[in-house]
Amino acid sequence: MIETCKSKRNELISLINEIEILSFNYILKQTNDGKEHLVKYDIEHAWKDYLFVLKGILYRWDNCFRLLLQIIEEIKKQSNSFNDEFIICAHPTCDQLSYEFENLIVSFPKLNEEPQIVNLSRVMSKENQNKLKDNCLKKDDVNSLYWQLNLLRNRFAHSTPGYYSTNTTEAQRYMAISSRVFNLQLKDKKLFLKTTLINLSKNDYIKKVIQEVIIDKKLGEEEAEKPIMELLFSTKPRGKNKNHPTMIFINNLGNFDLNEDFLIFSLQMFEYIDTQLKTIKSEFEDVIG
């Protein structure tokens, strides 16, 4: 999986370089008559605006990937090349990985936001406009990357209340839903960097809630009676000792792993970017002729 991610990332860089060459040729074509021209917003300007955002996302991904490889190498030194099985406390490198992952998750949706898509679409042919829009993350598909991102991003971008068990006898508060890695586990020659974040692809119950309450009713998350997390958890303690509830760990939501789950997410993200880049490349090729 690591090598696959590295290869796909390099393919994107190659695509970017190809578009940069096309961009240069486009400029030459516009200025080869030696006359002054009014500067107008076109595919060249839209590409440069897009590229700045994209490079920021790839920069953040590179930071995540570098830190993950560093953690893996450190564990290999301690575990006889992954032949042992153990659980150890997380260390500062894991915190750095969590912070960089949060930055990545917050920044990636910019490539799917309406202003970004509109800016590109306005300077494209109808055919390429449709390709770009068809690639957008679908809110009406519970299996879309949109909802996976939604559950992850909102934990970083906004402050959240405490979440509590529905136990009415003794107040119980869940550990914070966070990108923090609590421990490193080596099992069956696989390294797990589990967080308390929700991996939607591993939880059919949450998918069912999103499908029935938000998608099927065509409400949209903003118009639903409650935010997604409040559909899943209580935000008020119940039972005794409400001010000092017992802490309990969330372990049944398909916890997001900053090793394998991160790599799977990376490939999905790269696939989305790949389609955007190929569409932009096609537009440059069309206008250059």
Side-chain angles (χ1 to χ4, degrees), residues 54-94:
L54 175 58
K55 282 185 174 179
I57 291 167
L58 294 178
Y59 168 80
R60 292 171 176 88
W61 184 86
D62 286 346
N63 287 342
C64 290
F65 194 63
R66 171 180 54 80
L67 289 166
L68 176 59
L69 294 182
Q70 184 178 327
I71 292 169
I72 291 173
E73 286 305 309
E74 291 174 2
I75 295 301
K76 280 184 177 179
K77 291 176 183 177
Q78 300 177 37
S79 65
N80 189 26
S81 300
F82 277 40
N83 288 326
D84 301 328
E85 291 194 1
F86 59 75
I87 298 177
I88 60 174
C89 295
H91 49 74
T93 309
C94 292

Side-chain angles (χ1 to χ4, degrees), residues 169-226:
T169 303
E170 184 77 19
Q172 296 177 328
R173 176 170 174 151
Y174 289 105
M175 299 286 287
I177 298 178
S178 162
S179 65
R180 177 185 172 193
V181 178
F182 284 90
N183 57 52
L184 294 83
Q185 181 178 10
L186 191 61
K187 185 176 181 181
D188 298 328
K189 297 185 178 182
K190 292 183 179 180
L191 177 64
F192 297 92
L193 306 175
K194 284 191 177 181
T195 69
T196 50
L197 295 172
I198 298 171
N199 186 341
L200 184 60
S201 65
K202 295 179 178 179
N203 194 299
D204 291 336
Y205 169 71
I206 298 178
K207 282 185 180 182
K208 185 172 182 288
V209 171
I210 293 173
Q211 183 69 47
E212 294 181 354
V213 178
I214 296 176
I215 297 177
D216 289 349
K217 291 185 178 180
K218 302 186 185 302
L219 294 173
E221 189 179 10
E222 296 79 6
E223 288 75 33
E225 293 181 8
K226 295 181 179 180

